[in-house]
Amino acid sequence: MGRHLYRRNDVARAAALALVCAASAFASPKSGPQEFAPEEFVSPKGGAGFYHEIDLPGADREEVAPFKERWLSSWGRAELNSILENGSQYRHYVRRRLQEEGLPACIEYIPVIESSYKPLAKPASGKSVGLWQFMENSVENYLRLNKWLDERRDPWKSTDAAIKKLKANYKQFDDWLLAIAAYNCGAGAVKRALAKSPQKTFWALAKAKLIPDHAIAYVPNLLAVSDIAQNSSWYKVDLPAAFYDAEIYSPFDDFDYLETKQAVSLKALAAELRLDEKTLLSLNPALLYEETPSHESYDLRLPRGMKAAAQDAILTLMLKKNYADNK
């Protein structure tokens, strides 16, 4: 929920003001938005609370306004709250990886638009899957997809893949809004549109309708969500608290990995480990048949501290299988 860290008295107000001034003076460009926003501060934009400029340009453009209105409606607020709450176990990893790779913090909200932060999301068309909605024809060099595995379903691996793809787009276009539009409609479509436009900006391409309608809506929608989420106190919206220090500990992306080269049933392994089967399944959603591949390596994701126990359990399962086969 929105965090108000200071009580409304003179001492607290003075301390809060000093803290914000110090943060503004010494924060690095990559430190990300801060969510301490006492309402007694007056925004430079005229609203109540502390307003933080997001790290993508254009949030105050008229093209973004209809999307802000949508998300700020009563049902839009409820929907955004639900999406961010449901995505809480993945957002810390996304934020940390964005910071490590030097990408805009706003990219954390692409999965809000793409999948509602659901790792197994699949639209009616069935052409895209996962948190970042990779198409089958866009996984090459990024993710494995075969009869055993669909790494588009893995929120951690697909996050790394999306970051690589977005960085490649940025390298090509040298503009984050164009890179994000290309993530939606393809780099080829953006390149062709730029060749037809004297102005080489996303807004010029959108105004001239040189890119598909869904791409025209995609960028302003992302800007609206990012602005509201990162300035929830200013907009007076109750949203799940998100701490922007990407180095804080999170149990949701702290795992052990064990390489397997044979078929291992996750159900059987969970029983051997006396672990809830749902835990192993949720950590390894790329496995299409709930077991590891039989003829290729797979890094089995485990709760932290369970690697040795899993090695012993897999050995026990293999011995039981060999005994049953030779009985």
Side-chain angles (χ1 to χ4, degrees), residues 179-200:
I180 291 166
Y183 185 85
N184 176 256
C185 67
V190 171
K191 185 177 180 180
R192 290 189 294 272
L194 287 170
K196 299 175 183 177
S197 175
Q199 294 180 298
K200 310 302 180 182

Side-chain angles (χ1 to χ4, degrees), residues 256-273:
D256 276 343
Y257 290 89
L258 175 61
E259 183 182 17
T260 63
K261 295 183 178 179
Q262 67 279 328
V264 177
S265 164
L266 265 59
K267 182 176 181 178
L269 178 59
E272 196 70 30
L273 291 170

Side-chain angles (χ1 to χ4, degrees), residues 232-310:
S232 58
S233 294
W234 192 80
Y235 284 107
K236 297 183 179 179
V237 179
D238 265 345
L239 294 176
F243 296 93
Y244 282 83
D245 182 352
E247 296 181 358
I248 63 172
Y249 171 77
S250 170
F252 297 122
D253 56 324
D254 189 16
F255 311 116
D256 276 343
Y257 290 89
L258 175 61
E259 183 182 17
T260 63
K261 295 183 178 179
Q262 67 279 328
V264 177
S265 164
L266 265 59
K267 182 176 181 178
L269 178 59
E272 196 70 30
L273 291 170
R274 293 177 172 78
L275 182 68
D276 184 0
E277 179 185 343
K278 291 181 180 178
T279 299
L280 278 184
L281 292 175
S282 67
L283 293 181
N284 297 276
L287 297 176
L288 297 176
Y289 300 104
E290 299 182 359
E291 67 177 37
T292 59
S294 59
H295 299 297
E296 60 180 294
S297 66
Y298 175 78
D299 290 330
L300 183 68
R301 191 178 287 116
L302 299 158
R304 173 66 67 184
M306 298 202 69
K307 182 175 180 178

Side-chain angles (χ1 to χ4, degrees), residues 10 59 114 136 190 252 323:
D10 293 339
E114 290 282 2
E136 281 191 27
V190 171
F252 297 122
Y323 177 78

